[in-house]
Amino acid sequence: MSARVGKAVVLTNSMLALAVAAAGAIAALAAFVAYKRASLRALREHSEALAQINAAHDERKAHDLALIAAEQTRASELSTETQRLSDALAREADALAHARAALAEAHARHDDLLAHAGRIASEAARLKQLAATFERWHEQMISLMAQNQDMHRKNHELARIVNHVLMVSLNASIEAARAGAAGRGFSIVAGEVRALATRSQELSKSYRDSLDRNDLVTTATFQDIQAGGKMITAALGSVESLAQQFHSKLERNPT
């Protein structure tokens, strides 16, 4: 009986020990399961966080790549715009250089026109002086022709006097011949007077011929001077009109 009780106690203790061990194992298993669950939850949370981080990183990377692409596009556009502006500036520089050259050429042409206008004005002044000289010659020729006419009148009067002296000397010679020996000396004087009158008549005729030739030359010269004066006056009017047109054009277009 005691042995049975002892065995029962031992068996009970063994069962208790097994129950305790089983409870410990179960508790350990439960703790392990709880640990595994916590680990899995932590791993899942870590995975989710890592996925979020990767998603955020990918989003950031995509955003950065978009920004880089936009910056590259903008840089390309800026490069294109810069090149366009550079080409435009080059064209503007060429146009400015051409404009400066044209302006310099216009200034040179303007200076040439001014010099030409000055030469025209100088020629006009010379023509004025020449016209004044022709006018003076014209007046002198008129005076010379008047003097020629006066000399013609005086020569005509001298010829009349010479003819009268010749007639008087001829009558004196006739009267001396009638007087005979008494009028011989008077006849000699009358002959000398007649010879002098004849010579004076020849000189008067030669002088008249010279005056006639002088009249022809003077008249021709007078007509030439008149024609030349008219031509110079007309040319002077044209030159002055041209000079005035030049000055007006230069004043309207200073460059």
Short mmCIF file of all heavy atoms in Angstrom, two decimals, residues 199-252:
data_model
loop_
_atom_site.label_atom_id
_atom_site.label_comp_id
_atom_site.label_asym_id
_atom_site.label_seq_id
_atom_site.Cartn_x
_atom_site.Cartn_y
_atom_site.Cartn_z
N ARG A 199 49.51 167.90 -150.56
CA ARG A 199 50.02 166.90 -149.62
C ARG A 199 49.07 166.72 -148.43
O ARG A 199 48.81 165.59 -147.98
CB ARG A 199 51.40 167.32 -149.13
CG ARG A 199 52.06 166.28 -148.25
CD ARG A 199 53.42 166.76 -147.80
NE ARG A 199 54.03 165.81 -146.88
CZ ARG A 199 55.16 166.05 -146.23
NH1 ARG A 199 55.81 167.22 -146.39
NH2 ARG A 199 55.67 165.14 -145.39
N SER A 200 48.54 167.85 -147.95
CA SER A 200 47.58 167.77 -146.84
C SER A 200 46.32 167.02 -147.25
O SER A 200 45.74 166.26 -146.46
CB SER A 200 47.22 169.18 -146.36
OG SER A 200 48.36 169.84 -145.86
N GLN A 201 45.92 167.22 -148.51
CA GLN A 201 44.74 166.51 -149.01
C GLN A 201 44.99 165.00 -149.04
O GLN A 201 44.13 164.20 -148.69
CB GLN A 201 44.40 167.03 -150.41
CG GLN A 201 43.06 166.54 -150.94
CD GLN A 201 42.76 167.12 -152.30
OE1 GLN A 201 43.67 167.36 -153.11
NE2 GLN A 201 41.49 167.38 -152.57
N GLU A 202 46.22 164.59 -149.49
CA GLU A 202 46.56 163.18 -149.53
C GLU A 202 46.61 162.59 -148.11
O GLU A 202 46.12 161.48 -147.86
CB GLU A 202 47.91 163.00 -150.23
CG GLU A 202 47.86 163.32 -151.72
CD GLU A 202 49.26 163.26 -152.35
OE1 GLU A 202 50.24 163.07 -151.57
OE2 GLU A 202 49.35 163.38 -153.57
N LEU A 203 47.22 163.38 -147.21
CA LEU A 203 47.27 162.91 -145.83
C LEU A 203 45.87 162.78 -145.22
O LEU A 203 45.57 161.84 -144.49
CB LEU A 203 48.12 163.86 -144.98
CG LEU A 203 49.63 163.80 -145.23
CD1 LEU A 203 50.34 164.89 -144.41
CD2 LEU A 203 50.19 162.43 -144.86
N SER A 204 44.98 163.75 -145.56
CA SER A 204 43.61 163.70 -145.06
C SER A 204 42.88 162.47 -145.60
O SER A 204 42.14 161.80 -144.88
CB SER A 204 42.87 164.98 -145.45
OG SER A 204 41.52 164.92 -145.02
N LYS A 205 43.13 162.19 -146.91
CA LYS A 205 42.49 161.01 -147.50
C LYS A 205 43.01 159.73 -146.83
O LYS A 205 42.24 158.80 -146.52
CB LYS A 205 42.76 160.97 -148.99
CG LYS A 205 42.06 159.82 -149.74
CD LYS A 205 42.32 159.91 -151.21
CE LYS A 205 41.61 158.78 -151.96
NZ LYS A 205 42.06 157.45 -151.50
N SER A 206 44.37 159.66 -146.61
CA SER A 206 44.95 158.49 -145.95
C SER A 206 44.42 158.37 -144.52
O SER A 206 44.11 157.26 -144.04
CB SER A 206 46.48 158.61 -145.94
OG SER A 206 47.05 157.54 -145.23
N TYR A 207 44.31 159.51 -143.85
CA TYR A 207 43.79 159.51 -142.49
C TYR A 207 42.33 159.04 -142.48
O TYR A 207 41.92 158.28 -141.59
CB TYR A 207 43.93 160.91 -141.90
CG TYR A 207 43.56 161.01 -140.45
CD1 TYR A 207 44.25 160.31 -139.48
CD2 TYR A 207 42.49 161.82 -140.05
CE1 TYR A 207 43.92 160.41 -138.14
CE2 TYR A 207 42.15 161.93 -138.71
CZ TYR A 207 42.87 161.22 -137.77
OH TYR A 207 42.53 161.32 -136.45
N ARG A 208 41.55 159.47 -143.51
CA ARG A 208 40.15 159.05 -143.59
C ARG A 208 40.06 157.55 -143.84
O ARG A 208 39.22 156.85 -143.24
CB ARG A 208 39.45 159.81 -144.72
CG ARG A 208 37.95 159.50 -144.79
CD ARG A 208 37.25 160.26 -145.90
NE ARG A 208 37.70 159.82 -147.21
CZ ARG A 208 38.44 160.57 -148.03
NH1 ARG A 208 38.83 161.80 -147.67
NH2 ARG A 208 38.83 160.11 -149.22
N ASP A 209 40.95 157.02 -144.74
CA ASP A 209 40.96 155.57 -144.98
C ASP A 209 41.31 154.80 -143.70
O ASP A 209 40.70 153.76 -143.39
CB ASP A 209 41.96 155.24 -146.08
CG ASP A 209 41.53 155.79 -147.44
OD1 ASP A 209 40.32 156.08 -147.60
OD2 ASP A 209 42.40 155.94 -148.31
N SER A 210 42.29 155.33 -142.95
CA SER A 210 42.66 154.68 -141.69
C SER A 210 41.51 154.71 -140.71
O SER A 210 41.24 153.72 -140.00
CB SER A 210 43.89 155.37 -141.07
OG SER A 210 45.03 155.23 -141.92
N LEU A 211 40.81 155.85 -140.66
CA LEU A 211 39.65 155.93 -139.77
C LEU A 211 38.55 154.97 -140.19
O LEU A 211 37.88 154.37 -139.34
CB LEU A 211 39.11 157.37 -139.75
CG LEU A 211 39.94 158.39 -138.96
CD1 LEU A 211 39.35 159.78 -139.13
CD2 LEU A 211 39.99 158.02 -137.49
N ASP A 212 38.37 154.81 -141.52
CA ASP A 212 37.35 153.87 -141.99
C ASP A 212 37.70 152.44 -141.58
O ASP A 212 36.84 151.67 -141.12
CB ASP A 212 37.22 153.97 -143.51
CG ASP A 212 36.57 155.27 -143.95
OD1 ASP A 212 35.87 155.89 -143.11
OD2 ASP A 212 36.77 155.69 -145.10
N ARG A 213 39.00 152.07 -141.77
CA ARG A 213 39.42 150.74 -141.35
C ARG A 213 39.28 150.58 -139.83
O ARG A 213 38.86 149.53 -139.33
CB ARG A 213 40.86 150.48 -141.78
CG ARG A 213 41.03 150.27 -143.28
CD ARG A 213 42.41 149.72 -143.60
NE ARG A 213 43.47 150.64 -143.20
CZ ARG A 213 43.94 151.62 -143.97
NH1 ARG A 213 43.45 151.82 -145.21
NH2 ARG A 213 44.92 152.40 -143.55
N ASN A 214 39.64 151.64 -139.11
CA ASN A 214 39.50 151.60 -137.66
C ASN A 214 38.04 151.46 -137.25
O ASN A 214 37.72 150.76 -136.27
CB ASN A 214 40.11 152.86 -137.06
CG ASN A 214 40.21 152.79 -135.54
OD1 ASN A 214 40.49 151.74 -135.00
ND2 ASN A 214 40.00 153.91 -134.88
N ASP A 215 37.15 152.11 -138.04
CA ASP A 215 35.72 151.96 -137.76
C ASP A 215 35.27 150.52 -137.92
O ASP A 215 34.49 149.99 -137.10
CB ASP A 215 34.91 152.87 -138.70
CG ASP A 215 34.94 154.32 -138.28
OD1 ASP A 215 35.28 154.57 -137.10
OD2 ASP A 215 34.65 155.19 -139.09
N LEU A 216 35.78 149.87 -139.00
CA LEU A 216 35.39 148.48 -139.22
C LEU A 216 35.87 147.58 -138.07
O LEU A 216 35.11 146.77 -137.53
CB LEU A 216 35.97 147.99 -140.56
CG LEU A 216 35.38 148.62 -141.83
CD1 LEU A 216 36.14 148.13 -143.05
CD2 LEU A 216 33.90 148.31 -141.95
N VAL A 217 37.16 147.78 -137.72
CA VAL A 217 37.71 146.96 -136.63
C VAL A 217 37.00 147.26 -135.32
O VAL A 217 36.64 146.36 -134.55
CB VAL A 217 39.23 147.20 -136.50
CG1 VAL A 217 39.78 146.46 -135.28
CG2 VAL A 217 39.95 146.75 -137.76
N THR A 218 36.77 148.55 -135.06
CA THR A 218 36.12 148.93 -133.81
C THR A 218 34.70 148.40 -133.74
O THR A 218 34.25 147.90 -132.69
CB THR A 218 36.10 150.45 -133.68
OG1 THR A 218 37.45 150.95 -133.74
CG2 THR A 218 35.49 150.89 -132.36
N THR A 219 33.99 148.50 -134.87
CA THR A 219 32.61 148.00 -134.90
C THR A 219 32.57 146.49 -134.68
O THR A 219 31.75 145.98 -133.90
CB THR A 219 31.95 148.34 -136.24
OG1 THR A 219 31.97 149.76 -136.43
CG2 THR A 219 30.52 147.85 -136.28
N ALA A 220 33.48 145.76 -135.37
CA ALA A 220 33.52 144.31 -135.19
C ALA A 220 33.89 143.95 -133.75
O ALA A 220 33.27 143.06 -133.14
CB ALA A 220 34.53 143.69 -136.16
N THR A 221 34.88 144.66 -133.19
CA THR A 221 35.28 144.41 -131.81
C THR A 221 34.15 144.72 -130.85
O THR A 221 33.89 143.99 -129.88
CB THR A 221 36.52 145.24 -131.45
OG1 THR A 221 37.56 144.96 -132.38
CG2 THR A 221 37.01 144.91 -130.04
N PHE A 222 33.45 145.84 -131.14
CA PHE A 222 32.32 146.24 -130.30
C PHE A 222 31.23 145.17 -130.32
O PHE A 222 30.67 144.80 -129.27
CB PHE A 222 31.78 147.58 -130.78
CG PHE A 222 30.59 148.07 -130.01
CD1 PHE A 222 30.73 148.60 -128.75
CD2 PHE A 222 29.31 147.98 -130.55
CE1 PHE A 222 29.64 149.04 -128.04
CE2 PHE A 222 28.21 148.42 -129.85
CZ PHE A 222 28.37 148.96 -128.59
N GLN A 223 30.94 144.64 -131.53
CA GLN A 223 29.92 143.59 -131.63
C GLN A 223 30.36 142.31 -130.91
O GLN A 223 29.56 141.65 -130.23
CB GLN A 223 29.63 143.30 -133.11
CG GLN A 223 28.93 144.45 -133.82
CD GLN A 223 28.77 144.20 -135.30
OE1 GLN A 223 29.32 143.24 -135.84
NE2 GLN A 223 28.01 145.06 -135.97
N ASP A 224 31.67 141.96 -131.05
CA ASP A 224 32.18 140.78 -130.34
C ASP A 224 32.09 140.96 -128.83
O ASP A 224 31.72 140.03 -128.10
CB ASP A 224 33.64 140.52 -130.74
CG ASP A 224 33.76 140.05 -132.18
OD1 ASP A 224 32.74 139.58 -132.73
OD2 ASP A 224 34.87 140.14 -132.74
N ILE A 225 32.44 142.17 -128.37
CA ILE A 225 32.38 142.42 -126.92
C ILE A 225 30.94 142.36 -126.44
O ILE A 225 30.64 141.83 -125.36
CB ILE A 225 33.02 143.78 -126.60
CG1 ILE A 225 34.54 143.69 -126.77
CG2 ILE A 225 32.70 144.22 -125.17
CD1 ILE A 225 35.25 145.00 -126.57
N GLN A 226 30.01 142.92 -127.24
CA GLN A 226 28.59 142.84 -126.86
C GLN A 226 28.12 141.39 -126.77
O GLN A 226 27.48 140.99 -125.79
CB GLN A 226 27.75 143.60 -127.88
CG GLN A 226 27.64 145.09 -127.63
CD GLN A 226 26.62 145.73 -128.55
OE1 GLN A 226 26.47 145.33 -129.70
NE2 GLN A 226 25.92 146.73 -128.05
N ALA A 227 28.48 140.59 -127.81
CA ALA A 227 28.07 139.18 -127.80
C ALA A 227 28.72 138.43 -126.64
O ALA A 227 28.06 137.64 -125.94
CB ALA A 227 28.44 138.52 -129.13
N GLY A 228 30.02 138.69 -126.42
CA GLY A 228 30.70 138.04 -125.31
C GLY A 228 30.11 138.43 -123.97
O GLY A 228 29.96 137.58 -123.07
N GLY A 229 29.78 139.70 -123.82
CA GLY A 229 29.16 140.15 -122.58
C GLY A 229 27.82 139.48 -122.34
O GLY A 229 27.51 139.07 -121.20
N LYS A 230 27.02 139.34 -123.40
CA LYS A 230 25.73 138.67 -123.26
C LYS A 230 25.91 137.20 -122.90
O LYS A 230 25.18 136.66 -122.05
CB LYS A 230 24.93 138.81 -124.55
CG LYS A 230 24.45 140.22 -124.83
CD LYS A 230 23.67 140.30 -126.13
CE LYS A 230 23.20 141.72 -126.41
NZ LYS A 230 22.46 141.81 -127.69
N MET A 231 26.89 136.55 -123.55
CA MET A 231 27.14 135.14 -123.25
C MET A 231 27.62 134.98 -121.81
O MET A 231 27.18 134.05 -121.09
CB MET A 231 28.20 134.58 -124.21
CG MET A 231 27.71 134.46 -125.65
SD MET A 231 29.02 133.95 -126.78
CE MET A 231 29.43 132.35 -126.13
N ILE A 232 28.50 135.87 -121.36
CA ILE A 232 29.00 135.78 -119.99
C ILE A 232 27.87 136.04 -119.00
O ILE A 232 27.76 135.39 -117.96
CB ILE A 232 30.17 136.78 -119.78
CG1 ILE A 232 31.39 136.28 -120.55
CG2 ILE A 232 30.49 136.93 -118.31
CD1 ILE A 232 32.55 137.23 -120.50
N THR A 233 27.00 137.02 -119.33
CA THR A 233 25.87 137.31 -118.44
C THR A 233 24.94 136.11 -118.33
O THR A 233 24.49 135.74 -117.23
CB THR A 233 25.10 138.52 -118.96
OG1 THR A 233 25.99 139.66 -119.03
CG2 THR A 233 23.94 138.86 -118.05
N ALA A 234 24.67 135.45 -119.49
CA ALA A 234 23.82 134.26 -119.47
C ALA A 234 24.50 133.13 -118.69
O ALA A 234 23.85 132.44 -117.88
CB ALA A 234 23.52 133.81 -120.90
N ALA A 235 25.80 132.94 -118.94
CA ALA A 235 26.52 131.88 -118.21
C ALA A 235 26.56 132.18 -116.72
O ALA A 235 26.42 131.27 -115.89
CB ALA A 235 27.94 131.75 -118.76
N LEU A 236 26.73 133.45 -116.38
CA LEU A 236 26.75 133.83 -114.97
C LEU A 236 25.42 133.54 -114.30
O LEU A 236 25.36 133.04 -113.17
CB LEU A 236 27.10 135.32 -114.84
CG LEU A 236 27.13 135.89 -113.43
CD1 LEU A 236 28.17 135.17 -112.59
CD2 LEU A 236 27.44 137.38 -113.47
N GLY A 237 24.31 133.84 -115.03
CA GLY A 237 22.99 133.53 -114.47
C GLY A 237 22.82 132.04 -114.23
O GLY A 237 22.29 131.61 -113.20
N SER A 238 23.29 131.22 -115.21
CA SER A 238 23.17 129.76 -115.06
C SER A 238 24.02 129.26 -113.90
O SER A 238 23.58 128.42 -113.10
CB SER A 238 23.60 129.07 -116.36
OG SER A 238 22.76 129.45 -117.43
N VAL A 239 25.25 129.78 -113.78
CA VAL A 239 26.14 129.35 -112.71
C VAL A 239 25.59 129.75 -111.35
O VAL A 239 25.60 128.97 -110.39
CB VAL A 239 27.55 129.94 -112.92
CG1 VAL A 239 28.41 129.71 -111.69
CG2 VAL A 239 28.21 129.30 -114.13
N GLU A 240 25.07 130.97 -111.24
CA GLU A 240 24.49 131.41 -109.96
C GLU A 240 23.27 130.58 -109.60
O GLU A 240 23.07 130.22 -108.44
CB GLU A 240 24.13 132.89 -110.05
CG GLU A 240 25.34 133.82 -110.03
CD GLU A 240 24.94 135.27 -110.11
OE1 GLU A 240 23.80 135.54 -110.56
OE2 GLU A 240 25.75 136.14 -109.74
N SER A 241 22.44 130.26 -110.62
CA SER A 241 21.27 129.42 -110.35
C SER A 241 21.70 128.02 -109.91
O SER A 241 21.15 127.45 -108.96
CB SER A 241 20.42 129.31 -111.62
OG SER A 241 19.33 128.43 -111.42
N LEU A 242 22.72 127.45 -110.57
CA LEU A 242 23.23 126.14 -110.19
C LEU A 242 23.82 126.17 -108.78
O LEU A 242 23.59 125.26 -107.98
CB LEU A 242 24.28 125.68 -111.20
CG LEU A 242 24.90 124.29 -110.97
CD1 LEU A 242 23.81 123.23 -111.03
CD2 LEU A 242 25.97 124.01 -112.01
N ALA A 243 24.57 127.23 -108.47
CA ALA A 243 25.14 127.35 -107.13
C ALA A 243 24.05 127.46 -106.07
O ALA A 243 24.14 126.86 -105.00
CB ALA A 243 26.06 128.57 -107.07
N GLN A 244 22.99 128.20 -106.38
CA GLN A 244 21.88 128.33 -105.45
C GLN A 244 21.17 127.00 -105.24
O GLN A 244 20.81 126.63 -104.11
CB GLN A 244 20.88 129.38 -105.98
CG GLN A 244 19.73 129.66 -105.02
CD GLN A 244 20.21 130.26 -103.72
OE1 GLN A 244 21.16 131.01 -103.69
NE2 GLN A 244 19.55 129.93 -102.63
N GLN A 245 21.00 126.24 -106.32
CA GLN A 245 20.40 124.91 -106.20
C GLN A 245 21.27 123.99 -105.35
O GLN A 245 20.77 123.24 -104.52
CB GLN A 245 20.19 124.30 -107.59
CG GLN A 245 19.14 125.00 -108.43
CD GLN A 245 19.03 124.42 -109.82
OE1 GLN A 245 19.70 123.45 -110.15
NE2 GLN A 245 18.21 125.02 -110.66
N PHE A 246 22.58 124.05 -105.56
CA PHE A 246 23.50 123.25 -104.76
C PHE A 246 23.37 123.59 -103.28
O PHE A 246 23.25 122.71 -102.43
CB PHE A 246 24.95 123.50 -105.22
CG PHE A 246 25.48 122.40 -106.09
CD1 PHE A 246 25.37 122.47 -107.47
CD2 PHE A 246 26.09 121.30 -105.53
CE1 PHE A 246 25.87 121.47 -108.26
CE2 PHE A 246 26.59 120.28 -106.32
CZ PHE A 246 26.48 120.37 -107.69
N HIS A 247 23.41 124.88 -102.96
CA HIS A 247 23.32 125.29 -101.56
C HIS A 247 21.98 124.89 -100.95
O HIS A 247 21.93 124.46 -99.79
CB HIS A 247 23.52 126.80 -101.46
CG HIS A 247 24.97 127.22 -101.56
ND1 HIS A 247 25.91 126.88 -100.62
CD2 HIS A 247 25.64 127.93 -102.51
CE1 HIS A 247 27.09 127.37 -100.96
NE2 HIS A 247 26.96 128.00 -102.11
N SER A 248 20.89 125.05 -101.72
CA SER A 248 19.58 124.65 -101.21
C SER A 248 19.53 123.16 -100.94
O SER A 248 19.01 122.70 -99.91
CB SER A 248 18.49 125.04 -102.22
OG SER A 248 18.47 126.44 -102.42
N LYS A 249 20.08 122.37 -101.84
CA LYS A 249 20.10 120.91 -101.66
C LYS A 249 20.93 120.53 -100.46
O LYS A 249 20.56 119.65 -99.67
CB LYS A 249 20.64 120.25 -102.93
CG LYS A 249 20.59 118.74 -102.88
CD LYS A 249 21.06 118.14 -104.18
CE LYS A 249 21.00 116.60 -104.13
NZ LYS A 249 21.46 116.01 -105.40
N LEU A 250 22.09 121.18 -100.29
CA LEU A 250 22.95 120.88 -99.15
C LEU A 250 22.30 121.29 -97.84
O LEU A 250 22.47 120.62 -96.81
CB LEU A 250 24.29 121.58 -99.32
CG LEU A 250 25.18 121.04 -100.45
CD1 LEU A 250 26.42 121.89 -100.59
CD2 LEU A 250 25.56 119.60 -100.18
N GLU A 251 21.56 122.39 -97.84
CA GLU A 251 20.87 122.81 -96.62
C GLU A 251 19.74 121.87 -96.26
O GLU A 251 19.48 121.61 -95.09
CB GLU A 251 20.33 124.23 -96.81
CG GLU A 251 21.43 125.31 -96.83
CD GLU A 251 20.87 126.68 -97.12
OE1 GLU A 251 19.64 126.78 -97.36
OE2 GLU A 251 21.64 127.66 -97.11
N ARG A 252 19.04 121.33 -97.28
CA ARG A 252 17.96 120.38 -97.01
C ARG A 252 18.50 119.03 -96.57
O ARG A 252 17.89 118.34 -95.77
CB ARG A 252 17.08 120.21 -98.25
CG ARG A 252 16.21 121.40 -98.58
CD ARG A 252 15.14 121.00 -99.58
NE ARG A 252 15.71 120.48 -100.80
CZ ARG A 252 16.02 121.21 -101.86
NH1 ARG A 252 15.81 122.51 -101.85
NH2 ARG A 252 16.53 120.64 -102.94
#
